Amino acid sequence: MKLILLGAPGAGKGTQAEIICEKLSIPTISTGNIIREAMKNGTEMGLKAKAAVEAGQLVSDDVVIGIIKERLAKDDCNNGFILDGFPRTIPQAEALDSLGVEIDCVLDIDVKDEAIAARLGGRRVCPACGASYHLEYKKPAKDGICNLCGAELIQRKDDAPETVLERLAIYHEQTEPLKNYYSKTGKLKSVPGQEEVADTTKLVFEALGI
Ligand code: ADP
Ligand code: ZN
């Protein structure tokens, strides 16, 4: 299955991506994670992206399209993949089309802005492995510690309240039009994001028929 996950920042795309990835044994490609990894490693791309990411703005289309081209060319994508956080603009969607990638489904996880602000405020992430947690909705087994690798959890800089508002504004302006773009292809499905991860997963599996 070739799947795109759409939704506002903090709608739970990454969490659902991990679960679908495990169920279907296909890789998740998260442009956000790839960019953060590059920032951590201080690569040229990472250094270029840093200011935009930390201000809650989008990295340029050229850069993310380059990332996706390179990633989709790897063998593990042959049997399908989950795109988490790409495309985020119409030009990115057009670039994906022009790569000749046949997407099976575009799944939108719909969450209201008020709920997003609360979710991102409570989000904590693992700086070592990228796993994501929430103080209320997805607690690690041990407070402040990553279940997967034992590193100490941190709050992302772009999850600060002022930055969240900027990210939501950009989402409505640049990413939300993708719903219309993909509904024209008949591939768009939408599920309302729930408070409990498992409840959203149930709706997601139903929508995907898996
Ligand atoms: P979230 O979904 O929580 O906003 P991500 O981890 O997907 O976070 O992305 C974090 C940041 O990385 C974004 O705010 C943006 O700066 C950058 N980024 C990720 N994916 C893209 C993309 N497709 N286009 C442009 N910028 C991106
Ligand atoms: Zn970890």
Side-chain angles (χ1 to χ4, degrees):
M1 164 140 33
K2 293 177 178 161
L3 175 66
I4 292 173
L5 291 179
L6 271 188
K13 299 185 296 291
T15 303
Q16 296 304 323
E18 276 172 35
I19 297 168
I20 303 165
C21 161
E22 200 159 309
K23 173 144 177 130
L24 299 182
S25 300
I26 51 176
T28 294
I29 301 170
S30 157
T31 40
N33 283 348
I34 295 171
I35 294 166
R36 274 188 294 277
E37 188 65 26
M39 283 163 55
K40 200 170 77 183
N41 295 333
T43 68
E44 200 188 326
M45 185 268 277
L47 293 174
K48 266 198 221 157
K50 194 171 192 282
V53 172
E54 290 185 348
Q57 286 159 5
L58 295 183
V59 172
S60 77
D61 286 336
D62 287 355
V63 169
V64 281
I65 291 165
I67 292 174
I68 284 292
K69 269 192 194 163
E70 203 176 295
R71 184 63 188 86
L72 290 180
K74 297 199 174 150
D75 286 348
D76 65 339
C77 293
N78 290 344
N79 297 324
F81 49 77
I82 305 157
L83 293 179
D84 163 23
F86 181 95
R88 250 178 161 95
T89 64
I90 299 277
Q92 291 178 19
E94 289 170 348
L96 188 61
D97 288 344
S98 70
L99 290 177
V101 178
E102 282 278 339
I103 296 297
D104 298 298
C105 180
V106 179
L107 186 71
D108 170 53
I109 304 177
D110 190 34
V111 177
K112 300 261 168 302
D113 285 11
E114 302 80 74
I116 295 285
R119 284 184 186 212
L120 291 179
R123 177 155 78 175
R124 295 293 179 274
V125 297
C126 173
C129 76
S132 180
Y133 300 87
H134 193 279
L135 295 179
E136 259 177 77
Y137 310 126
K138 196 185 171 198
K139 292 183 188 172
K142 202 171 153 210
D143 269 359
I145 302 293
C146 178
N147 291 350
L148 303 178
C149 75
E152 216 167 298
L153 303 179
I154 57 162
Q155 182 168 35
R156 268 168 48 178
K157 270 197 186 159
D158 57 341
D159 282 346
E162 322 78 73
T163 316
V164 166
L165 291 181
E166 172 76 4
R167 286 161 68 201
L168 274 173
I170 291 175
Y171 166 75
H172 289 302
E173 193 181 302
Q174 302 207 45
T175 307
E176 215 169 17
L178 291 175
K179 288 193 206 170
N180 186 39
Y181 183 91
Y182 286 116
S183 73
K184 286 184 192 150
T185 66
K187 290 186 179 152
L188 183 74
K189 291 190 174 154
S190 192
V191 299
Q194 307 292 306
E195 254 186 34
E196 292 290 332
V197 170
D199 293 339
T200 306
T201 302
K202 193 164 171 277
L203 298 176
V204 166
F205 283 7
E206 278 167 15
L208 297 177
I210 59 175

PDB file of all heavy atoms in Angstrom, residues 9 57-58 88-91 113 165-179:
ATOM      1  N   PRO A   9      -0.370  19.638  12.083  1.00  0.00           N
ATOM      2  CA  PRO A   9       0.709  19.212  12.975  1.00  0.00           C
ATOM      3  C   PRO A   9       0.073  18.770  14.284  1.00  0.00           C
ATOM      4  O   PRO A   9      -0.824  19.437  14.795  1.00  0.00           O
ATOM      5  CB  PRO A   9       1.540  20.484  13.176  1.00  0.00           C
ATOM      6  CG  PRO A   9       0.699  21.613  12.705  1.00  0.00           C
ATOM      7  CD  PRO A   9      -0.229  21.042  11.685  1.00  0.00           C
ATOM      8  N   GLN A  57       8.098  27.243  10.485  1.00  0.00           N
ATOM      9  CA  GLN A  57       7.803  27.430   9.065  1.00  0.00           C
ATOM     10  C   GLN A  57       8.187  26.214   8.245  1.00  0.00           C
ATOM     11  O   GLN A  57       8.888  25.333   8.735  1.00  0.00           O
ATOM     12  CB  GLN A  57       8.545  28.674   8.559  1.00  0.00           C
ATOM     13  CG  GLN A  57       7.866  29.924   9.084  1.00  0.00           C
ATOM     14  CD  GLN A  57       8.777  31.128   9.075  1.00  0.00           C
ATOM     15  OE1 GLN A  57       9.902  31.050   8.589  1.00  0.00           O
ATOM     16  NE2 GLN A  57       8.304  32.209   9.643  1.00  0.00           N
ATOM     17  N   LEU A  58       7.744  26.195   7.005  1.00  0.00           N
ATOM     18  CA  LEU A  58       8.064  25.053   6.151  1.00  0.00           C
ATOM     19  C   LEU A  58       9.464  25.191   5.574  1.00  0.00           C
ATOM     20  O   LEU A  58       9.916  26.296   5.283  1.00  0.00           O
ATOM     21  CB  LEU A  58       7.062  24.941   5.002  1.00  0.00           C
ATOM     22  CG  LEU A  58       5.616  24.625   5.382  1.00  0.00           C
ATOM     23  CD1 LEU A  58       4.766  24.468   4.129  1.00  0.00           C
ATOM     24  CD2 LEU A  58       5.523  23.383   6.249  1.00  0.00           C
ATOM     25  N   ARG A  88       3.153  18.563   1.764  1.00  0.00           N
ATOM     26  CA  ARG A  88       2.578  19.577   2.639  1.00  0.00           C
ATOM     27  C   ARG A  88       2.195  20.831   1.853  1.00  0.00           C
ATOM     28  O   ARG A  88       1.690  21.791   2.446  1.00  0.00           O
ATOM     29  CB  ARG A  88       3.635  19.980   3.666  1.00  0.00           C
ATOM     30  CG  ARG A  88       3.346  19.523   5.077  1.00  0.00           C
ATOM     31  CD  ARG A  88       4.539  19.994   5.885  1.00  0.00           C
ATOM     32  NE  ARG A  88       4.319  20.062   7.286  1.00  0.00           N
ATOM     33  CZ  ARG A  88       4.636  19.083   8.144  1.00  0.00           C
ATOM     34  NH1 ARG A  88       5.090  17.943   7.727  1.00  0.00           N
ATOM     35  NH2 ARG A  88       4.479  19.262   9.429  1.00  0.00           N
ATOM     36  N   THR A  89       2.493  20.850   0.576  1.00  0.00           N
ATOM     37  CA  THR A  89       2.114  21.985  -0.276  1.00  0.00           C
ATOM     38  C   THR A  89       1.686  21.405  -1.633  1.00  0.00           C
ATOM     39  O   THR A  89       2.051  20.263  -1.960  1.00  0.00           O
ATOM     40  CB  THR A  89       3.308  22.942  -0.532  1.00  0.00           C
ATOM     41  OG1 THR A  89       4.313  22.231  -1.277  1.00  0.00           O
ATOM     42  CG2 THR A  89       3.926  23.471   0.741  1.00  0.00           C
ATOM     43  N   ILE A  90       0.958  22.200  -2.396  1.00  0.00           N
ATOM     44  CA  ILE A  90       0.538  21.752  -3.732  1.00  0.00           C
ATOM     45  C   ILE A  90       1.754  21.440  -4.619  1.00  0.00           C
ATOM     46  O   ILE A  90       1.790  20.383  -5.249  1.00  0.00           O
ATOM     47  CB  ILE A  90      -0.403  22.796  -4.407  1.00  0.00           C
ATOM     48  CG1 ILE A  90      -1.678  22.976  -3.569  1.00  0.00           C
ATOM     49  CG2 ILE A  90      -0.689  22.427  -5.855  1.00  0.00           C
ATOM     50  CD1 ILE A  90      -2.787  21.985  -3.774  1.00  0.00           C
ATOM     51  N   PRO A  91       2.777  22.316  -4.664  1.00  0.00           N
ATOM     52  CA  PRO A  91       3.951  21.960  -5.493  1.00  0.00           C
ATOM     53  C   PRO A  91       4.586  20.629  -5.088  1.00  0.00           C
ATOM     54  O   PRO A  91       5.083  19.889  -5.947  1.00  0.00           O
ATOM     55  CB  PRO A  91       4.916  23.130  -5.275  1.00  0.00           C
ATOM     56  CG  PRO A  91       4.048  24.278  -4.905  1.00  0.00           C
ATOM     57  CD  PRO A  91       2.881  23.700  -4.152  1.00  0.00           C
ATOM     58  N   ASP A 113      -8.439  22.799  15.734  1.00  0.00           N
ATOM     59  CA  ASP A 113      -7.290  23.602  16.166  1.00  0.00           C
ATOM     60  C   ASP A 113      -7.130  23.659  17.693  1.00  0.00           C
ATOM     61  O   ASP A 113      -6.012  23.595  18.205  1.00  0.00           O
ATOM     62  CB  ASP A 113      -7.410  25.044  15.656  1.00  0.00           C
ATOM     63  CG  ASP A 113      -7.096  25.150  14.172  1.00  0.00           C
ATOM     64  OD1 ASP A 113      -6.995  24.098  13.508  1.00  0.00           O
ATOM     65  OD2 ASP A 113      -6.966  26.283  13.680  1.00  0.00           O
ATOM     66  N   LEU A 165       0.970  28.217  16.903  1.00  0.00           N
ATOM     67  CA  LEU A 165      -0.010  29.041  16.185  1.00  0.00           C
ATOM     68  C   LEU A 165       0.451  29.288  14.747  1.00  0.00           C
ATOM     69  O   LEU A 165      -0.333  29.222  13.798  1.00  0.00           O
ATOM     70  CB  LEU A 165      -0.233  30.376  16.897  1.00  0.00           C
ATOM     71  CG  LEU A 165      -0.944  30.267  18.247  1.00  0.00           C
ATOM     72  CD1 LEU A 165      -1.132  31.642  18.861  1.00  0.00           C
ATOM     73  CD2 LEU A 165      -2.303  29.565  18.091  1.00  0.00           C
ATOM     74  N   GLU A 166       1.745  29.564  14.600  1.00  0.00           N
ATOM     75  CA  GLU A 166       2.325  29.784  13.276  1.00  0.00           C
ATOM     76  C   GLU A 166       2.177  28.515  12.422  1.00  0.00           C
ATOM     77  O   GLU A 166       1.793  28.572  11.254  1.00  0.00           O
ATOM     78  CB  GLU A 166       3.810  30.164  13.446  1.00  0.00           C
ATOM     79  CG  GLU A 166       4.631  30.236  12.172  1.00  0.00           C
ATOM     80  CD  GLU A 166       4.364  31.500  11.364  1.00  0.00           C
ATOM     81  OE1 GLU A 166       3.596  32.357  11.835  1.00  0.00           O
ATOM     82  OE2 GLU A 166       4.938  31.599  10.247  1.00  0.00           O
ATOM     83  N   ARG A 167       2.452  27.369  13.016  1.00  0.00           N
ATOM     84  CA  ARG A 167       2.374  26.113  12.260  1.00  0.00           C
ATOM     85  C   ARG A 167       0.943  25.824  11.833  1.00  0.00           C
ATOM     86  O   ARG A 167       0.705  25.333  10.722  1.00  0.00           O
ATOM     87  CB  ARG A 167       2.932  24.951  13.095  1.00  0.00           C
ATOM     88  CG  ARG A 167       4.444  25.005  13.190  1.00  0.00           C
ATOM     89  CD  ARG A 167       4.971  24.196  14.331  1.00  0.00           C
ATOM     90  NE  ARG A 167       4.779  22.772  14.159  1.00  0.00           N
ATOM     91  CZ  ARG A 167       4.789  21.888  15.159  1.00  0.00           C
ATOM     92  NH1 ARG A 167       4.941  22.306  16.400  1.00  0.00           N
ATOM     93  NH2 ARG A 167       4.635  20.627  14.911  1.00  0.00           N
ATOM     94  N   LEU A 168      -0.010  26.145  12.729  1.00  0.00           N
ATOM     95  CA  LEU A 168      -1.414  25.912  12.367  1.00  0.00           C
ATOM     96  C   LEU A 168      -1.845  26.827  11.226  1.00  0.00           C
ATOM     97  O   LEU A 168      -2.557  26.406  10.310  1.00  0.00           O
ATOM     98  CB  LEU A 168      -2.322  26.154  13.578  1.00  0.00           C
ATOM     99  CG  LEU A 168      -2.486  24.949  14.498  1.00  0.00           C
ATOM    100  CD1 LEU A 168      -3.262  25.350  15.752  1.00  0.00           C
ATOM    101  CD2 LEU A 168      -3.207  23.814  13.771  1.00  0.00           C
ATOM    102  N   ALA A 169      -1.391  28.084  11.288  1.00  0.00           N
ATOM    103  CA  ALA A 169      -1.747  29.031  10.229  1.00  0.00           C
ATOM    104  C   ALA A 169      -1.192  28.537   8.892  1.00  0.00           C
ATOM    105  O   ALA A 169      -1.898  28.547   7.870  1.00  0.00           O
ATOM    106  CB  ALA A 169      -1.201  30.422  10.561  1.00  0.00           C
ATOM    107  N   ILE A 170       0.043  28.084   8.899  1.00  0.00           N
ATOM    108  CA  ILE A 170       0.663  27.578   7.672  1.00  0.00           C
ATOM    109  C   ILE A 170      -0.058  26.325   7.186  1.00  0.00           C
ATOM    110  O   ILE A 170      -0.284  26.135   5.990  1.00  0.00           O
ATOM    111  CB  ILE A 170       2.165  27.307   7.895  1.00  0.00           C
ATOM    112  CG1 ILE A 170       2.893  28.637   8.094  1.00  0.00           C
ATOM    113  CG2 ILE A 170       2.764  26.523   6.731  1.00  0.00           C
ATOM    114  CD1 ILE A 170       4.354  28.512   8.435  1.00  0.00           C
ATOM    115  N   TYR A 171      -0.451  25.491   8.126  1.00  0.00           N
ATOM    116  CA  TYR A 171      -1.198  24.286   7.746  1.00  0.00           C
ATOM    117  C   TYR A 171      -2.472  24.669   6.988  1.00  0.00           C
ATOM    118  O   TYR A 171      -2.754  24.130   5.908  1.00  0.00           O
ATOM    119  CB  TYR A 171      -1.551  23.456   8.994  1.00  0.00           C
ATOM    120  CG  TYR A 171      -2.586  22.409   8.694  1.00  0.00           C
ATOM    121  CD1 TYR A 171      -2.242  21.256   7.982  1.00  0.00           C
ATOM    122  CD2 TYR A 171      -3.923  22.595   9.050  1.00  0.00           C
ATOM    123  CE1 TYR A 171      -3.198  20.319   7.643  1.00  0.00           C
ATOM    124  CE2 TYR A 171      -4.887  21.658   8.718  1.00  0.00           C
ATOM    125  CZ  TYR A 171      -4.520  20.535   8.009  1.00  0.00           C
ATOM    126  OH  TYR A 171      -5.473  19.613   7.659  1.00  0.00           O
ATOM    127  N   HIS A 172      -3.239  25.606   7.548  1.00  0.00           N
ATOM    128  CA  HIS A 172      -4.513  25.961   6.898  1.00  0.00           C
ATOM    129  C   HIS A 172      -4.277  26.583   5.523  1.00  0.00           C
ATOM    130  O   HIS A 172      -5.001  26.327   4.576  1.00  0.00           O
ATOM    131  CB  HIS A 172      -5.321  26.909   7.782  1.00  0.00           C
ATOM    132  CG  HIS A 172      -5.878  26.223   8.991  1.00  0.00           C
ATOM    133  ND1 HIS A 172      -6.703  25.133   8.907  1.00  0.00           N
ATOM    134  CD2 HIS A 172      -5.683  26.435  10.313  1.00  0.00           C
ATOM    135  CE1 HIS A 172      -7.017  24.709  10.132  1.00  0.00           C
ATOM    136  NE2 HIS A 172      -6.399  25.484  10.997  1.00  0.00           N
ATOM    137  N   GLU A 173      -3.227  27.378   5.445  1.00  0.00           N
ATOM    138  CA  GLU A 173      -2.961  28.106   4.210  1.00  0.00           C
ATOM    139  C   GLU A 173      -2.368  27.198   3.125  1.00  0.00           C
ATOM    140  O   GLU A 173      -2.777  27.245   1.970  1.00  0.00           O
ATOM    141  CB  GLU A 173      -1.961  29.205   4.573  1.00  0.00           C
ATOM    142  CG  GLU A 173      -1.747  30.291   3.570  1.00  0.00           C
ATOM    143  CD  GLU A 173      -0.703  31.251   4.144  1.00  0.00           C
ATOM    144  OE1 GLU A 173      -0.947  31.798   5.248  1.00  0.00           O
ATOM    145  OE2 GLU A 173       0.359  31.399   3.525  1.00  0.00           O
ATOM    146  N   GLN A 174      -1.391  26.374   3.495  1.00  0.00           N
ATOM    147  CA  GLN A 174      -0.625  25.662   2.458  1.00  0.00           C
ATOM    148  C   GLN A 174      -0.900  24.171   2.351  1.00  0.00           C
ATOM    149  O   GLN A 174      -0.739  23.592   1.288  1.00  0.00           O
ATOM    150  CB  GLN A 174       0.873  25.864   2.717  1.00  0.00           C
ATOM    151  CG  GLN A 174       1.248  27.331   2.726  1.00  0.00           C
ATOM    152  CD  GLN A 174       2.693  27.519   2.323  1.00  0.00           C
ATOM    153  OE1 GLN A 174       3.156  26.917   1.361  1.00  0.00           O
ATOM    154  NE2 GLN A 174       3.412  28.328   3.065  1.00  0.00           N
ATOM    155  N   THR A 175      -1.265  23.549   3.461  1.00  0.00           N
ATOM    156  CA  THR A 175      -1.420  22.085   3.434  1.00  0.00           C
ATOM    157  C   THR A 175      -2.872  21.669   3.254  1.00  0.00           C
ATOM    158  O   THR A 175      -3.169  20.731   2.508  1.00  0.00           O
ATOM    159  CB  THR A 175      -0.845  21.456   4.720  1.00  0.00           C
ATOM    160  OG1 THR A 175       0.493  21.922   4.898  1.00  0.00           O
ATOM    161  CG2 THR A 175      -0.832  19.943   4.640  1.00  0.00           C
ATOM    162  N   GLU A 176      -3.785  22.391   3.897  1.00  0.00           N
ATOM    163  CA  GLU A 176      -5.187  21.993   3.814  1.00  0.00           C
ATOM    164  C   GLU A 176      -5.717  21.950   2.373  1.00  0.00           C
ATOM    165  O   GLU A 176      -6.539  21.080   2.062  1.00  0.00           O
ATOM    166  CB  GLU A 176      -6.050  22.879   4.711  1.00  0.00           C
ATOM    167  CG  GLU A 176      -7.182  22.084   5.317  1.00  0.00           C
ATOM    168  CD  GLU A 176      -7.909  22.843   6.422  1.00  0.00           C
ATOM    169  OE1 GLU A 176      -7.773  24.078   6.518  1.00  0.00           O
ATOM    170  OE2 GLU A 176      -8.618  22.163   7.179  1.00  0.00           O
ATOM    171  N   PRO A 177      -5.256  22.833   1.484  1.00  0.00           N
ATOM    172  CA  PRO A 177      -5.728  22.740   0.082  1.00  0.00           C
ATOM    173  C   PRO A 177      -5.448  21.374  -0.563  1.00  0.00           C
ATOM    174  O   PRO A 177      -6.061  21.029  -1.572  1.00  0.00           O
ATOM    175  CB  PRO A 177      -4.941  23.851  -0.633  1.00  0.00           C
ATOM    176  CG  PRO A 177      -4.629  24.846   0.439  1.00  0.00           C
ATOM    177  CD  PRO A 177      -4.413  24.037   1.693  1.00  0.00           C
ATOM    178  N   LEU A 178      -4.555  20.597   0.049  1.00  0.00           N
ATOM    179  CA  LEU A 178      -4.296  19.258  -0.502  1.00  0.00           C
ATOM    180  C   LEU A 178      -5.509  18.348  -0.381  1.00  0.00           C
ATOM    181  O   LEU A 178      -5.656  17.392  -1.147  1.00  0.00           O
ATOM    182  CB  LEU A 178      -3.104  18.601   0.202  1.00  0.00           C
ATOM    183  CG  LEU A 178      -1.737  19.232  -0.073  1.00  0.00           C
ATOM    184  CD1 LEU A 178      -0.668  18.570   0.781  1.00  0.00           C
ATOM    185  CD2 LEU A 178      -1.391  19.077  -1.553  1.00  0.00           C
ATOM    186  N   LYS A 179      -6.391  18.642   0.571  1.00  0.00           N
ATOM    187  CA  LYS A 179      -7.608  17.816   0.699  1.00  0.00           C
ATOM    188  C   LYS A 179      -8.413  17.911  -0.590  1.00  0.00           C
ATOM    189  O   LYS A 179      -8.890  16.913  -1.114  1.00  0.00           O
ATOM    190  CB  LYS A 179      -8.463  18.308   1.867  1.00  0.00           C
ATOM    191  CG  LYS A 179      -7.902  17.997   3.219  1.00  0.00           C
ATOM    192  CD  LYS A 179      -8.999  18.241   4.260  1.00  0.00           C
ATOM    193  CE  LYS A 179      -8.431  18.566   5.603  1.00  0.00           C
ATOM    194  NZ  LYS A 179      -9.461  19.034   6.547  1.00  0.00           N
TER     195      LYS A 179
END
